[in-house]
Amino acid sequence: MSDRTIPADGIGMHLYTMREPLAADYPGTLRGLAEIGYRTIGVSGRFGHSAREIRAFADDTGLGIVLEHVGYNRLSEDWEGALADVRTLGGEWIVVPSLPAELRTPDGFRTAAAAFNEAGQAARKEGLKLLFHNHGHDFDEVDGQVLFDILLDEVEPDLLGFEFDLYWAVNGGKDPIEYFAKYPGRFPALHVKDMAADGSFEDVGAGPARLPGDLRPRRARRRTAVAGRARRTDRPVGLRPDELSIIGRNALLTGEAGEIGYRL
């Protein structure tokens, strides 16, 4: 199994998973993640704290912040302020987590592509990279066109990358490896979530389902220059978020997730 393990500094926690404990105790939750062994985090929700405060919480624990999720509306509502906040956090990526429902058409995705080209230029000037996070419906096919592919084809690669969510790609009927091979270098971050046999969420390494394709680290780095991986589960089942964090991290580090869930 050693050829499938992931270095510890290649695994981060996307804080959406920790939303309930964060709402109760943000700095204490970060301390817990650091004690588990996480080294990087992605911010998703501030729970009343400023970017400066969250940066201080992270610095106190030794955690590095790599990204923040911001709503699509921020592209036209103080995008400069959103970029400044990510710089304050110390991140390198600013991530749009989804598109509004009214844009989930070919014309809507083209509108988003134009907005991403413009926003990506502003992000680049600030030393940041704009990313988009996918969901299953982004892979819907309309009139022979896969919606997600519009963004890949119509936004300049140096202006938009992708925080590729493996669960949602599979949920949308796609094999992540096919995307990695066709669009090398477009996926600097991954969301790693497991899928139960019935298609619902499961923590990494705990689900019986296998993903199509092989996502071992050496192959991913060679073919796609994947720079980071954030583990996340959208709906924790049966265990506290801190318990899930330990299970998921251990599964990725040991390679056990390769046998029963995601192979990274």
Side-chain angles (χ1 to χ4, degrees):
M1 299 300 293
S2 60
D3 65 328
R4 298 181 185 172
T5 58
I6 301 169
D9 59 3
I11 301 172
M13 168 60 72
H14 188 80
L15 293 182
Y16 184 80
T17 298
M18 311 302 295
R19 55 197 178 276
E20 293 183 4
L22 284 170
D25 182 1
Y26 207 114
T29 301
L30 296 193
R31 285 195 298 271
L33 290 173
E35 290 169 0
I36 289 170
Y38 285 97
R39 299 182 186 177
T40 61
I41 54 175
V43 174
S44 179
R46 298 186 189 171
F47 302 95
H49 300 290
S50 68
R52 190 172 301 278
E53 288 172 330
I54 292 173
R55 172 67 181 272
F57 297 155
D59 286 348
D60 286 346
T61 65
L63 290 168
I65 298 173
V66 296
L67 60 83
E68 182 176 30
H69 275 200
V70 301
Y72 179 82
N73 63 298
R74 291 300 300 273
L75 272 65
S76 58
E77 299 174 10
D78 192 24
W79 184 237
E80 294 80 7
L83 295 172
D85 281 350
V86 175
R87 286 177 58 86
T88 296
L89 291 169
E92 60 180 299
W93 300 314
I94 183 166
V95 185
V96 173
S98 63
L99 296 184
E102 61 268 22
L103 292 183
R104 296 173 192 168
T105 65
D107 285 345
F109 266 69
R110 292 188 177 94
T111 295
F116 286 151
N117 271 315
E118 182 176 350
Q121 291 180 28
R124 183 172 59 183
K125 290 178 182 178
E126 295 298 321
L128 302 172
K129 181 68 177 281
L130 173 62
L131 305 183
F132 177 71
H133 169 273
N134 61 280
H135 289 86
H137 51 69
D138 295 321
F139 299 97
D140 289 350
E141 187 170 327
V142 180
D143 296 329
Q145 174 70 67
V146 176
L147 297 177
F148 184 77
D149 295 359
I150 293 172
L151 300 181
L152 283 159
D153 294 338
E154 298 193 11
V155 185
E156 294 295 327
D158 60 338
L159 300 180
L160 180 70
F162 296 87
E163 182 183 50
F164 205 60
D165 191 303
L166 304 180
Y167 171 93
W168 283 119
V170 174
N171 173 274
K174 302 301 180 182
D175 184 339
I177 286 296
E178 293 182 3
Y179 272 92
F180 296 162
K182 186 175 181 180
Y183 299 98
R186 299 299 301 273
F187 307 98
L190 302 179
H191 265 186
V192 185
K193 296 183 291 193
D194 212 338
M195 181 182 289
D198 63 0
S200 62
F201 294 113
E202 183 59 276
D203 197 59
V204 177
R210 294 179 63 101
L211 284 176
D214 181 354
L215 301 178
R216 285 174 291 184
R218 291 180 298 175
R219 181 179 180 187
R221 284 198 294 269
R222 182 176 69 249
R223 296 180 62 178
T224 69
V226 170
R229 306 167 186 85
R231 68 150 308 280
R232 162 177 160 176
T233 182
D234 284 22
R235 298 172 187 161
V237 179
L239 295 172
R240 300 191 313 270
D242 58 331
E243 294 171 322
L244 290 167
S245 299
I246 296 170
I247 292 170
R249 181 176 181 272
N250 288 345
L252 290 174
L253 283 172
T254 62
E256 291 176 4
E259 295 305 312
I260 55 179
Y262 294 115
R263 295 183 67 180
L264 271 180

